[in-house]
Amino acid sequence: MHEKILIVEDEERILQFLRRGLAYEGYRVLTAVNGTEGLQVARDNAPDLVILDWMLPEIEPGLDGLEVCRRLRAASDLPIIMLTAKESVSDRVLGLDAGADDYLVKPFALNELLARIRALVRRAKTEAPEILTFVDLRLDTGTHQVFRGERVVELTAKEYELLELFLRNPRQVLTRDLIFDRVWGYDFGGESNIIEVYVRYLRQKTESEGEPRLIHTVRGVGYVLREDS
């Protein structure tokens, strides 16, 4: 049986377009037209994936798509795809930091959305909990907890994903293109400094008590996780 997908979208035309397209592909489709309803449907029906519009009507003050994403992520690890008309890098960063796994700018092709759904569902099914370690850095893929020694390191969703990539590839130089592809899944543009920003966040959080640096810059190429030389 195909997966159950919740669509939270207030624009009727887009909602029906998605409902028909997903149902045709064999998915079981749930719908909601605002954040309050979307959270309730998610609680009652445990979807396998959520397609969430950013610009939802705020039935409750402050409950836009971004806040719905944060609450869904706080409650579970289910895959979330955010839909929005917002195109800037800073907006994408906000959406990803709120816990979205992927981000699609309107208008979009249904085939692209379906491909992203398949990728996220496949990833969710195949991920078995692991403990990834390097020196005194430890990441639990089951609980999404990160430790430096005995100290808990609090990370956003994208910081966690970037650190996991480094921990799965210790002592290997990761190029900027590879990091873009593996962590963000689409091109922010060659001039974007988003990787530098997130590496800086990780360094600040993993070195906050004076611990040795583990994420190093390889000038002109990318970054590497290695012991401080």
Side-chain angles (χ1 to χ4, degrees):
M1 183 177 289
H2 259 86
E3 290 75 17
K4 185 166 33 176
I5 296 180
L6 169 60
I7 306 166
V8 187
E9 168 64 68
D10 66 307
E11 194 172 336
E12 180 69 17
R13 179 181 58 82
I14 295 177
L15 182 64
Q16 294 309 321
F17 166 72
L18 292 174
R19 189 211 298 264
R20 287 193 299 269
L22 293 174
Y24 182 79
E25 293 293 321
Y27 293 106
R28 292 174 290 159
V29 182
L30 308 167
T31 63
V33 297
N34 58 62
T36 305
E37 184 182 1
L39 290 171
Q40 186 63 53
V41 173
R43 277 193 296 267
D44 294 345
N45 296 275
D48 297 294
L49 182 142
V50 177
I51 298 172
L52 175 64
D53 182 40
W54 181 317
M55 303 296 287
L56 292 171
E58 296 184 20
I59 304 301
E60 298 178 35
L63 192 60
D64 60 359
L66 214 56
E67 179 60 25
V68 172
C69 186
R70 291 190 188 100
R71 295 190 190 184
L72 288 171
R73 178 56 66 237
S76 77
D77 286 330
L78 86 167
I80 301 170
I81 299 177
M82 185 162 276
L83 304 179
T84 179
K86 296 173 178 285
E87 297 185 60
S88 73
V89 170
S90 60
D91 288 325
R92 294 184 192 186
V93 170
L94 280 175
L96 296 168
D97 273 352
D101 296 279
D102 209 342
Y103 191 111
L104 209 51
V105 177
K106 299 176 182 177
F108 55 86
L110 180 62
N111 283 344
E112 182 179 5
L113 175 63
L114 291 171
R116 295 189 184 209
I117 290 171
R118 288 191 296 269
L120 286 174
V121 168
R122 186 168 59 245
R123 190 174 78 186
K125 283 183 175 178
T126 57
E127 285 183 347
E130 297 177 72
I131 305 295
L132 305 176
T133 61
F134 185 79
V135 190
D136 61 346
L137 191 59
R138 187 168 80 257
L139 182 150
D140 186 330
T141 66
T143 64
H144 277 214
Q145 287 185 301
V146 174
F147 298 87
R148 185 82 196 257
E150 297 304 311
R151 178 171 64 86
V152 176
V153 180
E154 299 289 347
L155 300 180
T156 66
K158 278 297 154 185
E159 289 167 358
Y160 172 92
E161 198 171 342
L162 179 57
L163 183 60
E164 182 180 355
L165 177 64
F166 281 121
L167 282 165
R168 289 190 183 279
N169 300 276
R171 302 187 184 93
Q172 297 180 42
V173 177
L174 305 182
T175 66
R176 296 177 84 258
D177 287 345
L178 184 142
I179 295 171
F180 272 135
D181 181 63
R182 297 284 182 85
V183 178
W184 281 273
Y186 40 74
D187 187 14
F188 272 83
E191 299 305 312
S192 171
N193 68 338
I194 191 169
I195 295 176
E196 288 78 3
V197 169
Y198 273 81
V199 166
R200 185 168 70 247
Y201 291 160
L202 282 180
R203 285 172 173 165
Q204 288 170 349
K205 292 183 177 184
T206 58
E207 302 169 15
S208 66
E209 295 192 1
E211 296 94 340
R213 174 158 296 179
L214 293 178
I215 301 173
H216 298 269
T217 302
V218 181
R219 293 194 180 279
V221 182
Y223 298 90
V224 61
L225 180 73
R226 61 168 172 76
E227 298 90 337
D228 199 6
S229 56

